[in-house]
């Protein structure tokens, strides 16, 4: 099925199509108003370290739910969900190296898997748009610009890495509004970590995006504003090279039954 | 040393006296402006379950810091701290039963201990007082009223229990202000869970306080307002009866170097 066929479905309707392999595309812009989450699946023997990493770096890695060990169900974010089938594309990493992508991981599932659902800045973009704040990466039809910073995460067990940020150019008069809106959504990164001086956090060239983010236009009256990004958890997973991790593929996220408004 | 001798000390000065056994009293009202925390120490084999319990019940059990395994140091809340010596009184529980209290647990320390520091509503009371909102339990010189509720915590591994709440009678005209102030401090319980109708959360008699809380006067123009309470984690520890847990003794808390204003 194509994107335009599924645009107006509810989360549960869309997850059913994904479960049957009938929709395998990216989720951006689908199920408007509903929470989309990053997925990280790790074996139980490193789940404590990862949970502690998210606790110590909660603004970058806001955990919305952790499954029970071995369970493919959730309780808070969605009913009627199969974590092994309801995400359109999964990426499997061994020792930090991508080994393959899958539309279904039932065959790979293990009884010791723990799933982490991590909030995403998509959740606050809707409110920013409603407030008349432009989202340049939407206008230019690319993935939000993301950058590595020189800010070290607080390490936890085997996990370490630097914070990854997303950037949106904001008209300078609207910065207080953008700050206020996102600050009120602390469960999806909260307010900005840096406004206007990227060099201070180790970003010397705004063209040097990472994780597939686009390099967007910044207009004369605009200032680059940076928020911590959930991709920080994936960066830590890659640099810490655990034996096995499965994540969603960037852009192919879990769509929850919760609305973004419920994260305020 | 007596309370009046230590009232104006900084956190690090007071912790040094506690470390040497020269101050062994309660911490209420000391080091004004600084964060006081609940302490829970568990062996590593149940630390994942406990960390997950706090993640799933984050409003009641807001974790401010988790130590590294076996470490008696902290990184975020305080420098120059010895977790085994810098709390005036510790309580040791085996299978949910209090086995003893100690002023120093160096002799009991194990390499597999993990310490959880959990936020406390003391941190928002200062702002409420500054805003002219009366704290009846201060006026009546007793511990804040606490109650068991009929609201089940989200269980995690071996841990389960019901939410415990604290109550403050608030003049009805000041309720929006009290809501707004506490809602802005989500790292120490955030806004109220119930306003005005205790029966809805299973509290049928405001005299039935628990955990040593007082039953305070409610004046005619006041409404009882309930916040989730960090004691929820202790209630879960008692009802889940793990082999060994050490906590601070109620009222004898860890005093951090961070200021309450930093938790906003």
């Amino acid at each position: 099925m194509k994107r335009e066929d599924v645009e107006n479905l509810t989360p549960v309707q869309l997850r059913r199509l994904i479960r049957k392999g009938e929709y395998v595309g990216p989720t951006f812009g689908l199920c408007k108003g509903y929470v989309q989450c990053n997925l990280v699946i790790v074996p139980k023997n490193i789940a404590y370290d990862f949970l502690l990493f998210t606790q110590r770096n909660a603004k970058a890695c806001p955990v919305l739910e952790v499954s029970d060990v071995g369970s493919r169900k959730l309780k808070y974010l969605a009913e009627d969900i199969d974590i092994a089938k309801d995400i359109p594309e999964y990426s499997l990493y061994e020792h930090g190296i991508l080994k393959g992508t899958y539309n279904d991981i039932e065959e790979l599932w293990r009884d010791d898997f723990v799933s982490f659902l991590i909030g995403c800045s998509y959740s606050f973009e809707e409110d920013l748009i409603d407030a008349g704040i432009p989202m340049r990466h939407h206008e230019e039809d690319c993935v939000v610009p993301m950058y590595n910073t020189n800010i070290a995460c607080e390490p936890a067990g085997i996990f370490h890495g630097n914070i990854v940020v997303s950037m949106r150019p904001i008209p300078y008069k609207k910065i207080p509004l953008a700050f206020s809106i996102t600050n009120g959504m602390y469960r999806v990164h909260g307010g900005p970590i840096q406004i206007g001086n990227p060099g201070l956090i180790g970003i010397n060239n705004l063209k040097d995006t990472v994780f597939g983010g686009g390099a967007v236009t910044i207009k004369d009256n605009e200032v680059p504003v940076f928020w911590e990004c959930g991709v920080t958890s994936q960066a830590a997973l890659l640099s810490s090279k655990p034996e096995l991790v499965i994540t969603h593929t960037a852009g192919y996220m879990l769509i929850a039954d919760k609305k973004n408004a419920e994260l305020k």
Side-chain angles (χ1 to χ4, degrees), chain A:
Chain A
M1 270 189 196
K2 291 179 190 161
R3 197 171 171 77
E4 52 266 36
D5 298 326
V6 301
E7 251 169 5
N8 297 312
L9 298 183
T10 65
V12 70
Q13 287 170 333
L14 181 57
R15 290 200 305 266
R16 284 292 172 81
L17 290 179
I18 294 169
R19 189 179 302 183
K20 289 187 275 182
E22 294 177 10
Y23 182 75
V24 292
T27 54
F28 178 75
L30 301 180
C31 299
K32 283 202 173 63
Y34 289 92
V35 173
Q36 299 206 10
C37 313
N38 300 285
L39 170 69
V40 172
I41 302 171
V42 299
K44 174 63 165 67
N45 66 338
I46 57 170
Y48 177 77
D49 284 358
F50 189 66
L51 182 55
L52 186 58
F53 183 82
T54 64
Q55 191 279 327
R56 289 183 176 170
N57 300 281
K59 243 188 126 200
C61 309
V63 172
L64 299 177
E65 183 162 2
V66 182
S67 75
D68 286 329
V69 180
S71 171
R72 286 155 57 177
K73 304 268 173 221
L74 294 174
K75 288 174 188 167
Y76 168 72
L77 285 169
E79 293 183 4
D80 184 17
I81 191 164
D82 183 345
I83 295 172
K85 288 170 168 280
D86 288 2
I87 282 90
E89 194 178 298
Y90 303 82
S91 293
L92 184 148
Y93 296 87
E94 288 177 5
H95 304 288
I97 296 163
L98 180 65
K99 289 293 181 175
T101 60
Y102 304 84
N103 298 123
D104 180 321
I105 54 167
E106 184 166 43
E107 300 287 311
L108 303 170
W109 194 263
R110 295 182 354 194
D111 283 347
D112 67 340
F113 277 179
V114 181
S115 299
F116 291 77
L117 287 308
I118 297 173
C120 167
S121 55
Y122 286 6
S123 291
F124 65 57
E125 289 190 347
E126 283 189 348
D127 269 19
L128 294 174
I129 293 166
D130 280 351
I133 296 171
M135 289 290 106
R136 187 62 31 74
H137 59 289
H138 295 193
E139 294 165 18
E140 300 188 350
D141 202 18
C142 62
V143 175
V144 68
M146 287 174 272
Y147 302 93
N148 289 322
T149 69
N150 60 8
I151 307 168
C153 294
E154 199 58 54
I158 64 168
F159 294 107
H160 56 87
N162 279 14
I163 286 176
V164 178
V165 293
S166 63
M167 187 279 283
R168 292 159 189 83
I170 309 285
Y172 77 94
K173 287 185 180 174
K174 298 225 169 186
I175 286 177
L177 185 58
F179 187 98
S180 166
I181 288 170
T182 56
N183 200 48
M185 294 183 77
Y186 69 87
R187 298 187 64 189
V188 279
H189 308 303
I193 186 172
Q194 220 297 313
I195 299 176
N197 193 337
L200 288 179
I201 56 172
I203 302 169
N204 297 311
N205 187 337
L206 289 174
K207 297 211 159 111
D208 296 340
T209 61
V210 294
F211 290 98
V216 302
T217 311
I218 301 180
K219 298 181 182 170
D220 281 349
N221 69 331
E222 291 177 342
V223 174
V225 180
F226 299 85
W227 281 266
E228 286 165 82
C229 180
V231 165
T232 301
S233 63
Q234 302 210 17
L237 289 166
L238 297 184
S239 62
S240 309
K241 303 184 178 25
E243 196 180 331
L244 176 69
V245 178
I246 299 173
T247 70
H248 71 289
T249 296
Y252 298 72
M253 304 184 85
L254 171 77
I255 301 183
D257 295 337
K258 293 276 169 190
K259 294 205 144 189
N260 291 322
E262 295 180 78
L263 297 184
K264 284 179 190 171

